[in-house]
Structure formats: structure tokens, C-alpha cells
Amino acid sequence: MVEDELPRTRLAQLMKQQHMTVQDLRDRHREITGTELSERQAYRWLGGDMKGRPYPHSQAALEQMFCESAVRLFGPPHGSGLVLQAHSNEVIALPHDPAQQDWQRQVLATSAQRAREFLSRTEVPNVGAETLDQLTDDVRGLTVDYQQKPLESLLGKMSATQSEIFGLLEGRQRPSQTLDLFLLAGVASGLMARAAHDLNSPQEAMTHARAAFTAADNAGHDGLKAWAKGLQSLIAYWAGRYDDSVRYAGEGSQFALHSPNTSAVWLAAGEARSLAALGRYEEARGAVDRATEARDQVRRDDLDELGGFCTFNRPRQLYYAAEALAWAGPDFAEESERFALEATAAYDAAPSSDRAFGDEAGTRCALAIARIHRGEFEGAADAMVGVLVLPIAQRTHGVVTAVEHVENRLAALDADGRAVDELGDSMRSFASQRLALPQ
């Protein structure tokens, strides 16, 4: 190095020993990471003039260059030298000084170094209370907005929030803060799973859903585990994988036994839809009843308190019941219609934070199917009015698939008449223009 002053960090010490300049450091950083390191930032690293450690990719680059941990590199330089410590934590005495052979002094020096590393890891956490509060507010806002606003207006912030939380989890924080971050990581991943699902990318959706479950597992949060399984069940249902959907719901119910938040209701209601889609109508009716029983046992938790997509409210439960029984044909049509009308009324009376355009559209589709089974085609057309006017930005995979279910039921009856023809044409036109990823 050019500077003659004593090094302030182990990084500066190693560079001086290797006759390495700041420009050499910047060049090697660029070669390894593909990103630029400013001269000003490099000098901050050498002087230890930082509030926290660099980004993970920079830490990895430095560890590759100097074969020592980032913790050690940004710690104080080795002193007059009692010992050198190798990567395997073995203690190697400097041969030119007999005093360094004394094992007691070596143990003390090694222990002191470990203490310094411990302090550097624990004394300066990368997450404070204000950061956690802000992230929680961001996630809470997204869970509500997701049910009400077009995806294109939210996707960038959702992805950035997930990335920020993942990045923080790579750093240092107190154990309680780590658990909070894993909870937020689970929800943020769940939102990204919904986004991928709504864009008809079920594989990507399931990847994010698995990440949500892994975050829940790390958080030790059974309610979040149940919620993540409910999400997997939902993705499988709309992908037409009904057996998988039932399996995921069953797995989630085991976690809900230990933490009966509203996910317990979601799992039973979702299982009812998939059982009905498989033609197991009596089992589906039983699952609808289990959802009602689960509602009576609910203990709301911190996940429910985030609101929006994170809690399974009563209107949504009624919608699922209506859709489940809509699969069962004319024998259940009257009951399906009753549930759909109750759901519609419940959504109309709900606070704005509980509204969800996708679920409300699904409710109207279930109502239309029930009326088609009863031969009330004009009533079915009336039920679909609020759905068929949705803009393309809100024609998600789930909404379009629900409309296609109505179209299929109508076509299966081989009915005719002006109301039937107009409804069929409107649904086909609607489904031809849907929200999708650009080709």
C-alpha cells in the first residue's frame, strides 16, 4: 500500500503485507463481483470507518481474496503477534519468537480474537426497531392492496420488499428480530407466490410458496406454516391439480392444530373446493361444515393482524363454500346460490380493507353456475355483469379460470336462447384478453 501509517483493520494490514494498493483492491473486486468499488468506499473499508459491513457479495469477494472471514478482515489488525490463526482454527506459532510457543499465551490470544469477532457480530445489529416497524407496515399495506389494486402497480414494490427482507436475514440481528424477519419473509414470499399464480406461472408460484413455508419453519410459526400450505393448496387448485390441493390442505391442517388462526378455516374451505372438483361431493359438504367449526375455534395471531390476504375472513369463507357446492350440480344448486348471495352481501357490508376483487368475482361466478343449474340463464347473466366489466389488469388467472368454469357449465347444458348466446359470447371475449406475462 502507498500509505505509511499503521493499519487500522486486518484488511489494511494484509494489503500492506502483500504490497497491494487501493487500486489493486478495486480491480480485484470488479473482477470477482462485476461491480465497481469506489475509491472513497475502499478507504472506508481500510480505516474501519463504517456503520455496518458491506453487501454480502462484497464480503464474499474479500474472503476469496484474502482467505479470511469478513468479520476478521474488518476487525482490528493482528498485534505484535502472538499467533497466526489458520482457516481450520489451528494455532500456528511464529517460529522466530520462542515466547510464542507458550501454549497459555496462544490460548489467551486466540480466545481474545474470538471475543473480538463475537463483539463485531453482536454489538452492531443491522436491523433496528424502526426498520422492523417500517417493513411490517410495508408488508401489511401490500397484503391489503394486493386484493384491491392491479398487480402491475404493486409487483415492483412486492419484489423489492421480499429482496430487502432476504438481504437483512443475511446480516446480523438479535434472535427476536430474526424471528420477526422470517415472519415477514414468509408473507412477502406468499405475496410473490400469489403474483406468479395470478400471472399463470404455477411453477414459480409454488417456488415462492415453498420459500414461504421455509421462512415459517425458521420462524417456528405454526400459523404461518398452515398459511403457506393453504397457499400451496390454492395454487394447485387453480392449476387443476385437485389431488395435490387436497394433500396440501391436509398437511396444513396438522400445523393449524397447534396454532388455530384463520388459516385453519382457509384449509378446510379450500379442501372443500378441491374435493368437490374431484366429484367427492359429500366429503366436500363435510369440509364446508369443518370450516364453520374451525371458525368457532379461531385464535387470531400476528399473521391475522396483518390483514388483507393474510387473514381468511367470513365473506371469503362463504365464497369458498358457494364455489365448492357449485361443482356438485343441480342437487346442491340452491345451497350454492344461498352461500353466494350471503357472500355478496357480506362483501358489500365489509370494510374496504376486507374487499377483494378476485374473490368477489369468484363469488359471482359461483352464483352464475348455481343459477345455470337451475335453468335461470338471465339470472346467471345478471350475476356475471360485475365480473365481465373487470379491466384486463384485473383479469388474473384465477378470475379468468372461474369465468371459464361458468362457460363450461353453460356449454354442457347445450341450452339455447338469446341470454345464453350473449352470455357465452361475453365470457369468451373476456377470457381472450387476460392479464399475462409479455411473450
Side-chain angles (χ1 to χ4, degrees), residues 21-91:
T21 67
V22 170
Q23 187 59 50
D24 293 334
L25 176 66
R26 296 177 63 202
D27 291 342
R28 288 286 290 133
H29 183 276
R30 184 176 61 252
E31 289 174 11
I32 295 172
T33 68
T35 60
E36 293 291 340
L37 171 63
S38 71
E39 184 176 15
R40 181 179 181 185
Q41 186 63 28
Y43 276 110
R44 284 179 176 171
W45 289 0
L46 296 176
D49 184 20
M50 302 179 299
K51 294 182 179 178
R53 280 201 218 110
Y55 289 115
H57 71 275
S58 293
Q59 294 186 51
L62 291 171
E63 289 173 350
Q64 180 178 334
M65 282 186 246
F66 298 102
C67 298
E68 292 192 12
S69 70
V71 171
R72 187 175 303 151
L73 289 171
F74 290 107
H78 286 179
S80 56
L82 293 178
V83 295
L84 292 177
Q85 188 167 346
H87 261 300
S88 61
N89 289 327
E90 60 184 334
V91 177

Side-chain angles (χ1 to χ4, degrees), residues 182-183 186-187 212 215-216 219 221-229 261 301 303:
F182 272 121
L183 171 64
V187 176
H221 197 302
D222 286 321
L224 184 59
K225 292 180 192 177
W227 183 82
K229 287 296 178 181
N261 61 7
D301 62 4
L303 183 63

Side-chain angles (χ1 to χ4, degrees), residues 201-244:
S201 296
Q203 289 183 331
E204 288 81 0
M206 200 61 80
T207 297
H208 284 294
R210 293 186 183 107
F213 182 84
T214 298
D217 195 32
N218 278 279
H221 197 302
D222 286 321
L224 184 59
K225 292 180 192 177
W227 183 82
K229 287 296 178 181
L231 185 58
Q232 290 177 311
S233 179
L234 176 145
I235 294 166
Y237 172 77
W238 288 110
R241 294 163 43 203
Y242 304 124
D243 284 315
D244 286 340

Side-chain angles (χ1 to χ4, degrees), residues 298-367:
V298 161
R299 295 200 302 269
R300 290 177 63 86
D301 62 4
D302 47 357
L303 183 63
D304 283 310
E305 293 307 315
L306 290 174
F309 177 54
C310 288
T311 189
F312 194 78
N313 57 30
R314 176 65 174 163
R316 200 167 163 211
Q317 180 184 351
L318 292 167
Y319 150 52
Y320 272 49
E323 185 167 281
L325 298 182
W327 284 98
D331 291 343
F332 289 84
E334 183 176 351
E335 192 172 10
S336 176
E337 182 176 16
R338 176 173 60 80
F339 275 122
L341 289 172
E342 287 183 20
T344 300
Y347 272 121
D348 288 342
S352 60
S353 59
D354 284 348
R355 302 299 294 266
F357 73 85
D359 290 343
E360 292 181 57
T363 300
R364 295 188 179 95
C365 288
L367 177 59

Side-chain angles (χ1 to χ4, degrees), residues 225-227 229-230 246-260 263-269 271 290:
K225 292 180 192 177
W227 183 82
K229 287 296 178 181
V246 171
R247 175 172 60 83
Y248 286 129
E251 291 172 355
S253 296
Q254 299 305 306
F255 298 112
L257 291 174
H258 305 292
S259 181
S263 297
V265 187
W266 186 19
L267 290 160
E271 185 178 2
R290 279 193 284 110

